[in-house]
Amino acid sequence: MKYKIDVVRIRENSIQLNGWAIGKKPESAATFAVLDENRQPLSIRCVSTRRDDVSQIYYKKIYDRDYGFDIQFPYERGKDYYLVITCDGRTARIKYNEELIAKRSSVAHKRLEKIHDLMNMETVRVAWEFFQKHGIRALFLKSVHKIQGLDNDYEYSEWYHLTKPSEEELQKQRETKLTYEPLLSVVIPAFKTPEKYLREMLDSILAQTYSNWEVCVADGSPKGEGAIVQKVMKDYQARDSRFHCRNLGDNLGISGNTNAAMELAAGEYIVLADHDDTLPEHALFEVASAINAHPDCELIYSDEDKLDMDGGALFDPHFKPDFNPDLLTSVNYICHLLVVKRDLLDRVGGLRHEYDGAQDYDFIFRCTENARGIFHIPKVLYHWRCHQNSTASNPESKLYAFEAGARAIMAHYKRMGIEVARVEKGIDYGIYHTVFRIAGATAQAGVEPETLRTKGGPLISVIIPNKDHSRDLDLCLRSLLERATYQNLEFIVIENNSTQQETFDYYRNIEEEFPQVHVVIWEREFNYSAINNFGVRFAKGEYLLFLNNDTELIEPTAIEEMLGFLQRPEVGAVGAKLLYEDGTIQHAGVVIGFGGIAGHTFIGLHEAETSYFHRAACAQDYSAVTAACMMTKASVFAEVGGFTEELAIAFNDIDYCMKVRDKNYLIVYAPYAKLYHYESKSRGLEDTPEKVKRFNGEVAIFAKRWPDILKNGDPYYNPNLTLRKSNFALRDLLKEKIGEPYQLEGIELMKNQ
């Protein structure tokens, strides 16, 4: 019998175990039981799950059987429990308590588990088969990657305790006298709040290292049901004059209750909090410090995590980017902790009851539209208690909230003068997809949506360099010519030193078949930047779409998706979601600093998998996108001087995006504009000393041109997340300090050249 427990979660006085168990034969069936500390059986919920990966690895075939399990049972902290697995006459007994769960979730333990998993005959057999098929070099590289994979991502609870301020640091904060110590008013709407949770919230404020605060509670509990809140508040008011409470006598709704709490506030800054969440001890000190460092900022927000119901575990940290307007229209990523300057609140007004369920979303939109400055504190300053019936853990329980969110987004667009066709559900509830109206375009009536053709609209010039590979080029061109719903396109194919006669025959035939295709000749050596700059000279379009010849359209409306963002005056360039042939992600935006210079996000993640807070499926702003499929305004291209020809091979598209951002334009990633990218068929790898030398030289050029972002970090990423992987994992504290740039060999020398 073999088994593994992959995930252990403690939530709301229960424990959940996910894993798998198999016997000697595919038909072997495992049974499960749970015993308490007296070895008495407990009632459990056990759901069988598919684990085709386990079946494939151990039986070399996928069988129509469930080898996985999801077990849930009541759990009380401080007690021992035993999971009993029986299969083929063998029995395994695994003990669980808080100490063991913490130990098993540690990075050190998981690395030992991985080493143990590698040291078995199955690994030897797989390695031998791989060697026979691919050779010794490939086996060596795979082994290196396996060993590198031992650097597992941290469990958040362990990571948080390693990174939170020490007692010495907290004491230093208590003793620090800031130049400006504004009064921070923590406003809390209460409604039939359980005493335990309300006390935990108020105690967390009492424990703050910053002292110039007040708490303003408005109790909207109906008459006869607010005794607990009133009792608790009288207790705290007797202990500290900074606590204020108003009994409303009736429920005014979440917006009305919050507004009533705001009316009690006398502070220069309003801190919004829920009645059953908590703040870490340093939260208000960090807020006050940010106000001192950025006095012009009128809106401040922080990172956050979630707190289970009994307050014993922190999980699901949300490390956010700096202000990201397009991400905000995809999801309310700002949420908690939210701090608003009194002057801004007076200008925009309070929460609006017609958006209850998404009242904070609507409020945040109005604040960001009017704030003179927005600042993000990249630290967890809020613990959001996660109820099983809340939108935080069970979104289907409050569908009305997501409908209110869609209305809040539409209202935002209307105030901003942005033409929108509709806002619809994205990949999940609470994730939104905006469909923009295309200026000057009309839709052909009387046809099915999948065959819809967009008529009119601005001319877009598609720029495609090509050297031989006529079949790849034909697939690329026809996918747009025959399947794209947007029709007002011209194609500039830049012939770049092809040697095959069939390529030139193809050019002649495609130009005859499609008059919107034009081939122009580049007669010098390969230089990606110079070739594309050359091609743009022949373009007549108001917009330019730079496209690799090894791409293929997936989503027929991809052009409209990109153009919808780009027609806004503040947007300078838009990138698409690119997939490998197997459906895994090749490009979903670029983070500056990945691997030392720049890298694509979520590489290798299957499109159907859940990315970090659904980021791969959310429209958002990034510092850069790849020019394998990038649309930009012709006017912006001219304004920044096109591609930098000094960067002949690498980083020219990233450099272009940096130049565009330097002119205060946004770079947007459009996840619903989907194409395949078969990648590097045309040019090949950097596999010669000359190519490697050239590549390293361009690394040095880029580092010299943009040293600040490499040193200070990408504002659309987060310093708590790793630069060593593309999956937005937590920083590996053994190898990279929080906020520290990736240590690329020679980068300091490069920046100083």
Side-chain angles (χ1 to χ4, degrees), residues 78-113:
K79 293 187 177 181
D80 295 337
Y81 297 86
Y82 301 87
L83 171 65
V84 181
I85 306 175
T86 303
C87 189
D88 290 341
R90 297 187 62 187
T91 298
R93 182 173 295 180
I94 307 104
K95 184 178 180 180
Y96 288 94
N97 57 40
E98 285 181 83
E99 182 179 350
L100 288 172
I101 291 171
K103 178 181 177 182
R104 291 169 185 157
S105 65
S106 69
V107 173
H109 181 81
K110 288 193 171 186
R111 286 174 179 161
L112 286 174
E113 269 192 334

Side-chain angles (χ1 to χ4, degrees), residues 109-127:
H109 181 81
K110 288 193 171 186
R111 286 174 179 161
L112 286 174
E113 269 192 334
K114 282 198 168 188
I115 292 172
H116 180 267
D117 289 345
L118 290 174
M119 298 174 63
N120 56 57
M121 291 307 297
E122 180 67 19
T123 302
V124 174
R125 183 193 65 77
V126 170

Side-chain angles (χ1 to χ4, degrees), residues 176-414:
T176 298
K177 180 70 175 175
L178 298 172
T179 303
Y180 171 45
E181 296 192 334
L183 176 61
L184 304 179
S185 297
V186 183
V187 299
I188 303 173
F191 178 75
K192 297 194 291 186
T193 313
E195 180 175 353
K196 176 179 184 293
Y197 300 152
L198 182 56
R199 287 189 180 275
E200 286 185 11
M201 166 50 96
L202 301 179
D203 285 343
S204 75
I205 299 173
L206 273 175
Q208 292 296 304
T209 59
Y210 180 78
S211 60
N212 195 19
W213 53 259
E214 65 174 358
V215 173
C216 303
V217 176
D219 180 20
S221 304
K223 291 181 180 179
E225 299 184 53
I228 292 177
V229 174
Q230 295 303 309
K231 170 193 166 188
V232 171
M233 291 310 301
K234 286 180 180 178
D235 180 17
Y236 281 83
Q237 286 176 302
R239 295 162 57 185
D240 196 312
S241 62
R242 292 175 293 180
F243 288 94
H244 314 292
C245 181
R246 178 182 172 190
N247 181 15
L248 302 177
D250 196 8
N251 182 20
L252 305 182
I254 183 64
S255 296
N257 296 343
T258 304
N259 289 339
M262 288 180 178
E263 290 172 4
L264 294 175
E268 297 100 313
Y269 290 84
I270 308 300
V271 181
L272 286 86
D274 291 340
H275 59 172
D276 51 2
D277 301 332
T278 66
L279 307 180
E281 292 173 277
H282 57 292
L284 298 186
F285 180 85
E286 293 289 351
V287 169
S289 297
I291 292 169
N292 276 264
H294 305 275
D296 294 334
C297 282
E298 296 184 311
L299 185 73
I300 298 171
Y301 67 96
S302 76
D303 299 335
E304 64 189 289
D305 59 20
K306 294 189 177 71
L307 176 72
D308 71 350
M309 289 303 293
D310 63 8
L314 298 174
F315 61 100
D316 205 14
H318 190 182
F319 290 111
K320 310 166 187 177
D322 289 350
F323 182 53
N324 193 317
D326 284 289
L327 181 59
L328 186 60
T329 56
S330 296
V331 60
N332 181 8
Y333 81 93
I334 288 180
C335 212
H336 305 295
L337 183 68
L338 182 65
V339 182
V340 181
K341 192 172 184 179
R342 166 70 67 178
D343 292 347
L344 177 60
L345 177 62
D346 291 341
R347 294 201 304 275
V348 305
L351 277 61
R352 304 195 291 188
H353 70 87
E354 60 265 38
Y355 293 98
D356 275 358
Q359 69 290 329
D360 53 343
Y361 204 5
D362 169 68
F363 180 67
I364 288 169
F365 274 126
R366 288 183 286 122
C367 287
T368 59
E369 292 162 20
N370 292 277
R372 296 188 177 95
I374 302 171
F375 185 71
H376 163 228
I377 303 174
K379 298 180 181 181
V380 169
L381 303 183
Y382 197 91
H383 304 313
W384 184 9
R385 198 180 301 271
C386 189
H387 302 265
Q388 287 186 340
N389 66 345
S390 73
T391 54
S393 62
N394 182 15
E396 292 194 49
S397 67
K398 290 188 178 179
L399 292 179
Y400 80 93
F402 303 123
E403 294 169 0
R407 288 189 285 109
I409 297 169
M410 288 293 288
H412 161 71
Y413 284 132
K414 186 175 181 179

Side-chain angles (χ1 to χ4, degrees), residues 430-591:
I431 310 294
Y432 299 93
H433 170 209
T434 297
V435 179
F436 295 96
R437 294 190 187 278
I438 304 301
T442 58
Q444 182 181 347
V447 295
E448 294 299 319
E450 58 266 25
T451 60
L452 194 68
R453 292 292 183 265
T454 302
K455 300 296 183 181
L459 177 64
I460 299 173
S461 300
V462 186
I463 314 294
I464 309 175
N466 185 69
K467 178 181 180 181
D468 293 317
H469 293 275
S470 55
R471 292 183 183 179
D472 297 329
L473 177 62
D474 188 60
L475 178 63
C476 172
L477 287 172
R478 290 185 185 277
S479 71
L480 285 165
L481 287 162
E482 298 172 356
R483 303 205 300 267
T485 56
Y486 195 87
Q487 294 290 286
N488 198 11
L489 304 172
E490 68 165 0
F491 296 83
I492 310 297
V493 177
I494 311 166
E495 154 55 29
N496 165 41
N497 296 311
S498 294
T499 59
Q500 300 171 5
Q501 183 57 43
E502 67 179 88
T503 301
F504 297 95
D505 294 340
Y506 172 76
Y507 290 154
R508 183 174 60 255
N509 293 334
I510 197 70
E511 284 184 302
E512 290 177 358
E513 184 177 359
F514 297 101
Q516 61 267 55
V517 177
H518 314 285
V519 178
V520 299
I521 310 298
W522 171 260
E523 296 180 336
R524 293 164 51 192
E525 72 284 350
F526 180 82
N527 179 314
Y528 177 88
S529 298
I531 288 172
N532 279 283
N533 290 343
F534 173 75
V536 169
R537 297 180 199 170
F538 300 88
K540 300 174 183 175
E542 182 182 348
Y543 297 91
L544 308 172
L545 174 59
F546 295 97
L547 194 65
N548 277 23
N549 63 350
D550 55 352
T551 56
E552 178 187 0
L553 188 73
I554 298 174
E555 177 53 58
T557 60
I559 302 296
E560 291 94 330
E561 289 286 346
M562 300 175 77
L563 181 58
F565 289 103
L566 195 57
Q567 65 186 0
R568 288 163 32 200
E570 72 274 17
V571 177
V574 180
K577 175 185 280 186
L578 302 180
L579 304 178
Y580 291 113
E581 193 170 5
D582 62 0
T584 58
I585 292 173
Q586 191 269 340
H587 171 268
V590 171
V591 168

